[in-house]
Amino acid sequence: MAVALPETEARPKRGFARFARRNPTIVTGAVLLLFMALVALFAPLIAGDPLAITPINRLQAPSSEWWFGTDHLGRDVFARTVYGARVSLIVGLSVAIAAVVLGLVIGLLAGYYRGLDAVIMRVMDGLMAIPAILLAIALVALTRGGVLVVIIAITIPEVPRVVRLVRAVVLTAREQAYVEAAVATASSGLKILLRHILPNTVAPLIVQATYICASAILIESALSFLGAGVPPEIPTWGNMIASSRLFLQMAPWTVLFPGISLALVVLAINLVGDGLRDRLDPRLARRM
Amino acid sequence: MTAYLIRRVLATIPTMGIVAVFVFLLLHVTPGDPAAIIAGDNATPQNIAAIRERLGLDDPLWQQFLRWIFQLAQGDLGVSMFSNVPVSTLIMQRLEPTLSLALLSITLAVVLAIAAGVLAAWKAGRTLDRVVMGFAVFGFSVPVFVVGYLMIYLFAIELRWLPVQGYRPIAEGFWPWLRHLIMPATALGLAYVALIARITRASMLEVLAEDYVRTARAKGVATPPLLLKHALKNAAVPIVTVIGIGVALLISGVVITETVFNIPGIGRLTVDAINKRDYPIIQGVILVFSLVYVLVNLIVDVVYTLVDPRIRY
Amino acid sequence: MRFHRRHVIKTGAAAGALLGMGMPRLARAQDAGTIRAVMHGDLRVFDPIWTTANITAYHGAMIYDTLFGLDGNFDVRPQMVQDYGVSEDGLTWSFRLRDGLGFSDGTPVTTADVIPSIRRWAARDGAGQHMMRRVRDIVAKDERVFEIQLTEPYGLVIDSLAKTSTPLCYIMRRQEAETDPNEQITTFIGSGPFTFNQDLTQPGNRYVYDKNPNYVPRDDAPSGMAGAKIVKVDRVIWENIDDAQTAMAALQTGEIDFMETPPIDFLPMLEADPNLTVQVLNTLGNVGWLRLNFLHPPFDRVEARQAMMHLLNQEDFLRATFGNPQYFRTCGSYLTCGTPMESDVNMDWFTQGPNPERARELFAAAGYDGRPVTILQATNIPFMDNSAQIVAQKLRSIGINVELAASDWGGVVTRRAVQAPPAEGGWNIFITWGGGNSVASPINLSGHAATGTDGWFGWPSDELHEQLRDEWAAAPTLEARQEVSRRMQENAWNFVPHLYLGQWVAPVAHSARLSGILAIPEIVPFWNIEKSA
């Protein structure tokens, strides 16, 4: 998201400064995100081994040797925070992409083929009615953990929301004259979907994707907090906070650094999302 | 209107049916053996097998499913595999704390959020707007458990203003009830504030741009009454909608908030039940939560038609 | 933190004045007749025979009584029994119940209740089963006298009836005692010092026990599970607070009076609080277990199991979870250190310390072929969570491939029962712990059996070990038993049924207003506790 933004939005001739002045939230968010993405990408160059356990060095305060201190197993909090960016961003992006793609396909089908609509929407209503967090906890706790299961568990409840959004856009678009005309000239269903209806969904979906991404990162951390997340060996901000929360009073750095990173990333994504929404369609808010 | 209502109510039946099938399959297809947990750490494989058999866990899946559906049709949610207490009793015991927490959070959030949203829209583009909305977005970005622990540390342990944990039934007095809920409701409401404030602000901006409001403003009608009277009335529709959507968010938050503040509500009941694989409780609670969600959205849709006469079905 | 706190104190002063207005200092004033306690886990099952969960054994000790009790010195003393004796041939044990014993519903305790209670317990308990194989019959002589008639002399009759490792031989009413042992009883009426208040109990939230006004205590001084069990409060409430951070905060503010297992890292902080007392009740503590699966490679080969002995260092595990060496010790004895059964034979692997190179050679000798070793990791229990990660790291350091299978404890107990190969849903290693007192007895703890696929998870199999367990049970004197223990250890550290990860004590923390808490291994008693105003 961060990388794609300047390409689609900025008009090169007028300069970045002008764009930044007009869209301070997008730029702030994007810069933050870009920074986090770079950290995640180059983690091995920046930090040491996030898994190395040295019980003798447990709960050391931040110092020149351990910038962010060590946790209860004597692991380097800095290294774990840096590596933690990877999982959080991967989970956020994967869920956003998966939910949007699935939701788009199902939503287009439901909105366009009226016969399918009733069935699809009942199933979606059913899925939507199950509390997301409980579904995710149950899925992760009952199957054996792993990043993929977490991604699937978070994606499932997000899909119906995207479907509803897409379907609403399709229904509106269908009514409009150009689609009616296209139908009248007997274009194929697929062609109409792709050429005339799909473009209408792009703006709301981009905005929706940012919110899904932010909420996925938060849900991942909540799952880890409840002990049903990514396996604890893999450093994620969520399970760093979860496994260190006992030490909040004694060794606050074990919770503080992952907590701040988590809040910053979610904040950055929300800023980008808000900025995009304001730019793309101020009325979008109503439909969400 | 009546036809619409009937149609909507009937539509909840297939929805709940899908939830039931989905939840049953989720529990019974995934690995997990309540008998192994019941038997305890010192038990032998033979003990576990004997308990499995007694609980009917070895029966074919379709038999277990039919048994459960048949029970449900009679309004019976079954009994806990562990404590033998009926699931409906367990849910009733946990209903008050969860409802209290949810309602207080919503109330707190709606009041704060509408104030913030109106304020931000009024001063749109100025510093106050940026600060208010920045704070709202931030509230949306910090996990509820981080906020919860920080609050416990500050207000309960260091300052000793509020109790750390627990719940007092409202029957024991309003003040003890409220004191135990202030921190949880605030922690939980925070994310909600952001959501509603944002929508309020956006709707307010639209309304403020309408001709009649501009006219009224130009005529010198005092600003605060104008904002509240004209504008808020028109902004009510999207706000009600987002409250409906927010119920799902709230349910998720309730689960975590109840864990952090040790509130004996339905969220904790479920998490405990999942941890010990107490199938009847998990199935029952998810069904009940889903039903609440469906009903709230039904009510929201009805309210929708009431607050906005333009919407007809 | 500091900065934040001061800031809030300043700016929040007005709000604080409002909130605190007219309120007494928080929650300190819980009434003196009630003890609120947070135990180590949630009481999920109420039938102490149906489950072996420790918390249910605690619950049993509240509402039921036992025929014999283990006192504070680990000696067996009669409890519900007035007097008892054994015939000269050692085959007939006779017991006479105390006069005036009654259940809380008013009915008297008779041998018609006691005998089915023993049978139901023995059907589920390892030690009970071991004894019953030598029992010809249990007969009632009259309402107060009964006999256990044996086919051969057996040294552990009263030890088994008095044991504190789960399940304990609790005496129930005949109605409940005659329930199928694999089915849960539904009424909970005993002759113990407390009654279970089911109206106020909310499963998963709180469990309420009231003083049993009809309880008939013994005359002798209270000690452990023996002597006079006099209740000095009106009510005990077990609050189920799942989150240790929250429970500890509640203890600090006086919302609860007793916390059974405060995290050891925080003991200094709790000790520094003048309102709190930190105390070790169970001096034998717990013993960490690393269980190896005998059915599948690599641990079907003895070399691979021996390799683990040379690879792991108990101190790593103890330090990672328990931090302060004051509360833990390493121990190379097969039966718990600090008990009469402790021994130091065949312990070179322990005294010489870890030797990764030797471990690598032994794995090679076991024909290790690079397939991943599956470790079950219970992520919701810190000791198991941390230890699994350490084992994984150690194995990887000598070139063994490791798969950490993370799940909650519920997932671990499910998967550990699977005997299929790891790749088909089975496993190679899981971690748990046992009470030090249980681990000291080759009979009381199911995990000590080496009976193959019929035995406890991991399914070790060794004929000599089984023979020695029988010999241990039949041994007539302590000295004889110690001698068998040494031979058992010699053999155990050759065939390696499992490994230990060290021994630790878990102090309780409680309000300084509580006094008179009795020390018992594996049970936390609430009788004899006084709560000052």
Side-chain angles (χ1 to χ4, degrees):
Chain A
M1 202 113 313
V3 185
L5 257 176
E7 288 168 13
T8 51
E9 288 301 320
R11 287 152 207 146
K13 278 175 194 165
R14 294 192 191 171
F16 179 76
R18 190 187 162 90
F19 176 78
R21 210 167 39 247
R22 286 196 174 172
N23 303 280
T25 50
I26 297 187
V27 172
T28 315
V31 167
L32 249 174
L33 261 186
L34 188 67
F35 174 73
M36 286 293 188
L38 287 176
V39 165
L41 203 60
F42 296 107
L45 300 179
I46 302 169
D49 183 358
L51 300 182
I53 296 171
T54 50
I56 200 82
N57 293 329
R58 63 199 301 272
L59 299 175
Q60 301 284 326
S63 65
S64 58
E65 191 175 352
W66 297 288
W67 292 357
F68 288 2
T70 62
D71 70 2
H72 61 292
L73 293 179
R75 294 175 297 199
D76 183 356
V77 176
F78 176 71
R80 292 181 74 74
T81 308
V82 165
Y83 275 88
R86 289 186 161 185
V87 175
S88 287
L89 291 177
I90 287 172
V91 168
L93 282 178
S94 315
V95 171
I97 293 170
V100 165
V101 169
L102 280 173
L104 181 64
V105 172
I106 300 173
L108 285 176
L109 291 177
Y112 194 80
Y113 296 102
R114 306 302 294 154
L116 281 175
D117 189 40
V119 179
I120 290 180
M121 290 321 287
R122 285 297 81 72
V123 174
M124 289 302 131
D125 283 349
L127 278 183
M128 211 159 159
I130 302 175
I133 194 107
L134 293 183
L135 181 71
I137 298 169
L139 256 178
V140 178
L142 300 176
T143 62
R144 286 174 213 116
V147 182
L148 191 64
V149 176
V150 171
I151 290 173
I152 293 171
I154 303 175
T155 303
I156 292 176
E158 296 286 357
V159 171
R161 286 171 245 282
V162 182
V163 170
R164 282 197 158 189
L165 182 74
V166 174
R167 178 174 168 272
V169 176
V170 175
L171 289 183
T172 322
R174 266 178 71 95
E175 304 306 317
Q176 286 172 11
Y178 60 91
V179 177
E180 277 166 29
V183 174
T185 56
S187 304
S188 79
L190 188 69
K191 214 169 178 183
I192 299 171
L193 266 183
L194 293 182
R195 189 166 294 171
H196 302 288
I197 295 181
L198 189 62
N200 287 294
T201 62
V202 171
L205 276 184
I206 287 178
V207 176
Q208 184 75 354
T210 61
Y211 293 132
I212 292 178
C213 182
S215 109
I217 292 175
L218 282 176
I219 294 180
E220 185 276 316
S221 74
L223 285 177
S224 296
F225 170 77
L226 292 169
V230 173
E233 195 190 26
I234 303 171
T236 77
W237 296 329
N239 64 31
M240 285 173 72
I241 295 173
S243 63
S244 298
R245 66 185 198 263
L246 259 179
F247 305 99
L248 182 66
Q249 286 179 57
M250 243 175 83
W253 56 88
T254 53
V255 175
L256 220 54
F257 291 108
I260 290 172
S261 310
L262 184 62
L264 277 183
V265 162
V266 178
L267 185 67
I269 297 170
N270 281 332
L271 287 177
V272 171
D274 280 4
L276 283 177
R277 189 200 52 205
D278 290 346
R279 248 189 97 82
L280 294 177
D281 181 3
R283 281 173 183 267
L284 214 82
R286 282 193 163 228
R287 284 204 290 267
M288 298 193 313
Chain B
M1 184 71 201
T2 319
Y4 166 73
L5 254 181
I6 293 171
R7 200 151 39 81
R8 282 298 310 265
V9 171
L10 285 180
T12 60
I13 296 172
T15 305
M16 293 311 294
I18 285 160
V19 172
V21 173
F22 189 85
V23 168
F24 183 86
L25 286 180
L26 176 69
L27 292 184
H28 289 80
V29 169
T30 51
D33 184 359
I37 301 166
I38 287 170
D41 200 25
N42 201 11
T44 60
Q46 290 83 351
N47 295 153
I48 296 171
I51 293 175
R52 272 189 73 82
E53 199 207 316
R54 288 279 157 180
L55 292 173
L57 289 168
D58 288 334
D59 298 345
L61 212 56
W62 62 270
Q63 268 183 25
Q64 296 187 47
F65 183 70
L66 285 185
R67 212 160 46 215
W68 180 55
I69 289 292
F70 190 68
Q71 256 184 3
L72 273 183
Q74 295 170 306
D76 180 2
L77 289 174
V79 298
S80 158
M81 284 180 175
F82 286 73
S83 63
N84 262 331
V85 176
V87 173
S88 50
T89 310
L90 288 169
I91 291 178
M92 289 311 288
Q93 284 176 348
R94 306 300 190 96
L95 207 56
E96 190 197 305
T98 300
L99 276 182
S100 302
L101 176 60
L103 289 179
L104 198 65
S105 300
I106 292 187
T107 314
L108 207 71
V110 168
V111 170
L112 279 178
I114 290 183
V118 169
L119 212 61
W122 183 35
K123 297 281 181 191
R126 311 236 200 104
T127 317
L128 186 67
D129 177 27
R130 295 247 165 85
V131 170
V132 168
M133 293 322 288
F135 188 76
V137 177
F138 191 72
F140 196 63
S141 307
V142 188
V144 61
F145 50 91
V146 172
V147 178
Y149 282 127
L150 288 176
M151 288 174 80
I152 290 181
Y153 181 68
L154 286 170
F155 299 115
I157 299 181
E158 289 296 328
L159 300 173
R160 306 238 171 172
W161 290 348
L162 293 166
V164 173
Q165 55 89 36
Y167 176 78
R168 294 282 172 276
I170 197 160
E172 288 180 20
F174 179 75
W175 182 235
W177 172 82
L178 190 64
R179 280 165 51 78
H180 282 84
L181 284 176
I182 292 174
M183 283 201 293
T186 312
L188 178 57
L190 215 55
Y192 218 52
V193 171
L195 194 70
I196 304 174
R198 197 185 269 171
I199 298 292
T200 310
R201 178 178 174 276
S203 328
M204 288 294 299
L205 282 179
E206 271 180 50
V207 174
L208 286 175
E210 306 260 345
D211 285 344
Y212 71 96
V213 181
R214 291 231 293 262
T215 315
R217 243 182 161 174
K219 275 185 187 167
V221 179
T223 314
L226 171 115
L227 278 171
L228 285 175
K229 221 174 184 179
H230 293 279
L232 202 54
K233 203 169 153 193
N234 288 291
V237 175
I239 294 175
V240 170
T241 316
V242 91
I243 290 173
I245 294 171
V247 169
L249 184 75
L250 196 68
I251 289 175
S252 295
V254 159
V255 174
I256 296 164
T257 315
E258 287 181 356
T259 304
V260 172
F261 293 97
N262 193 44
I263 295 170
I266 296 182
R268 274 199 62 207
L269 179 69
T270 323
V271 174
D272 288 348
I274 290 173
N275 283 337
K276 63 184 182 189
R277 311 290 191 273
D278 199 335
Y279 296 155
I281 300 184
I282 308 175
Q283 289 165 349
V285 173
I286 292 189
L287 274 185
V288 169
F289 262 141
S290 305
L291 192 64
V292 168
Y293 175 84
V294 168
L295 291 181
V296 168
N297 276 286
L298 182 63
I299 294 167
V300 164
D301 283 355
V302 174
V303 172
Y304 215 83
T305 61
L306 296 179
V307 293
D308 189 350
R310 283 170 302 186
I311 298 173
R312 291 264 174 269
Y313 292 93
Chain C
M1 280 282 125
R2 285 286 134 192
F3 163 76
H4 201 160
R5 178 186 146 202
R6 237 178 269 134
H7 176 72
V8 170
I9 291 174
K10 218 191 286 172
T11 55
L18 187 69
L19 289 166
M21 201 181 292
M23 290 301 299
R25 191 164 170 273
L26 264 174
R28 176 97 167 78
Q30 300 283 3
D31 55 322
T34 302
I35 296 176
R36 289 174 193 272
V38 172
M39 311 309 286
H40 68 270
D42 184 23
L43 177 66
R44 290 164 168 176
V45 173
F46 300 148
D47 181 345
I49 304 300
W50 199 45
T51 181
T52 62
N54 279 317
I55 187 73
T56 306
Y58 292 14
H59 159 85
M62 302 290 272
I63 61 179
Y64 301 107
D65 214 343
T66 52
L67 295 170
F68 290 86
L70 211 55
D71 72 11
N73 302 318
F74 305 101
D75 289 328
V76 176
R77 277 164 48 182
Q79 181 57 25
M80 294 172 79
V81 164
Q82 180 72 44
D83 38 44
Y84 66 101
V86 60
S87 64
E88 269 186 26
D89 59 4
L91 293 181
T92 307
W93 288 77
S94 63
F95 306 88
R96 187 160 62 99
L97 298 176
R98 268 159 60 206
D99 201 13
L101 291 178
F103 289 106
S104 60
D105 64 350
T107 55
V109 180
T110 70
T111 47
D113 304 299
V114 172
I115 293 171
S117 292
I118 296 175
R119 289 191 187 279
R120 185 165 188 264
W121 158 77
R124 291 301 304 272
D125 180 56
Q129 288 162 1
H130 202 258
M131 178 179 85
M132 288 308 269
R133 282 200 283 272
R134 291 149 184 92
V135 168
R136 203 175 46 179
D137 202 3
I138 307 178
V139 286
K141 288 296 171 186
D142 61 41
E143 287 211 330
R144 284 178 59 202
V145 178
F146 69 101
E147 283 179 1
I148 296 181
Q149 298 166 352
L150 301 172
T151 54
E152 56 175 301
Y154 186 64
L156 294 178
V157 173
I158 61 167
D159 299 76
S160 300
L161 296 174
K163 77 187 181 66
T164 53
S165 35
T166 65
L168 279 73
C169 183
Y170 289 121
I171 302 305
M172 301 178 176
R173 295 189 307 176
R174 183 180 167 184
Q175 299 86 302
E176 281 87 49
E178 285 178 347
T179 308
D180 181 323
N182 293 312
E183 215 163 288
Q184 182 170 207
I185 58 171
T186 51
T187 314
F188 307 96
I189 289 175
S191 63
F194 289 90
T195 58
F196 187 31
N197 187 332
Q198 273 176 285
D199 292 335
L200 294 183
T201 291
Q202 292 185 352
N205 177 23
R206 67 162 61 99
Y207 306 90
V208 181
Y209 302 90
D210 292 332
K211 176 180 179 159
N212 176 4
N214 301 322
Y215 183 69
V216 186
R218 295 182 68 91
D219 303 329
D220 38 350
S223 172
M225 286 286 279
K229 296 179 179 174
I230 298 171
V231 175
K232 298 175 178 173
V233 291
D234 302 324
R235 179 168 284 174
V236 171
I237 302 175
W238 292 357
E239 305 268 8
N240 180 33
I241 304 183
D242 193 39
D243 190 294
Q245 173 74 34
T246 307
M248 221 158 34
L251 184 69
Q252 288 172 297
T253 59
E255 287 165 51
I256 60 169
D257 304 303
F258 182 98
M259 185 175 178
E260 190 192 349
T261 48
I264 288 187
D265 278 314
F266 294 88
L267 293 178
M269 193 179 81
L270 299 177
E271 276 166 348
D273 188 330
N275 297 319
L276 299 178
T277 306
V278 172
Q279 190 182 358
V280 175
L281 295 181
N282 178 359
T283 49
L284 288 181
N286 297 304
V287 178
W289 282 51
L290 180 112
R291 207 58 185 174
L292 303 167
N293 188 339
F294 272 57
L295 303 183
H296 303 290
F299 300 119
D300 57 339
R301 294 284 300 269
V302 67
E303 294 89 345
R305 301 197 297 271
Q306 288 168 343
M308 295 302 284
M309 295 167 74
H310 292 286
L311 179 64
L312 303 179
N313 182 3
Q314 291 185 356
E315 182 148 0
D316 289 337
F317 299 92
L318 295 166
R319 195 174 280 280
T321 307
F322 306 109
N324 185 347
Q326 189 188 339
Y327 297 107
F328 64 70
R329 62 170 294 183
T330 58
C331 169
S333 173
Y334 180 69
L335 301 175
T336 314
C337 286
T339 69
M341 298 303 144
E342 181 179 350
S343 160
D344 59 1
V345 296
N346 195 12
M347 255 174 37
D348 289 350
W349 59 274
F350 182 74
T351 46
Q352 286 166 4
N355 183 348
E357 211 29 61
R358 177 114 179 80
R360 195 197 300 265
E361 288 161 21
L362 281 164
F363 263 112
Y368 177 69
D369 57 2
R371 79 178 83 189
V373 167
T374 302
I375 304 175
L376 304 186
Q377 178 185 20
T379 56
N380 55 341
I381 301 178
F383 175 71
M384 300 182 183
D385 182 13
N386 299 340
S387 300
Q389 295 184 56
I390 297 171
V391 175
Q393 193 197 24
K394 294 284 178 191
L395 281 169
R396 284 175 184 142
S397 74
I398 58 162
I400 307 292
N401 290 319
V402 176
E403 184 211 5
L404 273 174
S407 69
D408 60 3
W409 174 240
V412 172
V413 296
T414 301
R415 191 167 176 184
R416 73 179 184 182
V418 176
Q419 293 188 340
E424 295 161 31
W427 55 277
N428 295 112
I429 291 175
F430 80 86
I431 289 154
T432 183
W433 70 77
N437 181 51
S438 299
V439 176
S441 162
I443 300 300
N444 286 354
L445 201 71
S446 317
H448 276 309
T451 49
T453 49
D454 288 340
W456 203 64
F457 316 98
W459 310 288
S461 173
D462 189 79
E463 268 177 45
L464 178 56
H465 185 77
E466 280 308 292
Q467 202 181 312
L468 289 168
R469 282 176 70 225
D470 282 345
E471 261 187 61
W472 191 90
T477 62
L478 181 65
E479 289 70 30
R481 224 171 260 168
Q482 286 172 323
E483 192 272 328
V484 181
S485 301
R486 278 192 291 278
R487 281 190 285 141
M488 192 181 288
Q489 173 160 329
E490 171 80 40
N491 178 51
W493 292 150
N494 288 337
F495 87 95
V496 199
H498 50 251
L499 278 87
Y500 295 127
L501 302 179
Q503 194 175 346
W504 65 91
V505 291
V508 303
H510 59 82
S511 157
R513 298 166 70 198
L514 300 189
S515 58
I517 305 177
L518 298 171
I520 305 180
E522 298 172 316
I523 297 285
V524 174
F526 282 91
W527 56 88
N528 204 50
I529 302 182
E530 275 177 277
K531 184 176 178 184
S532 62

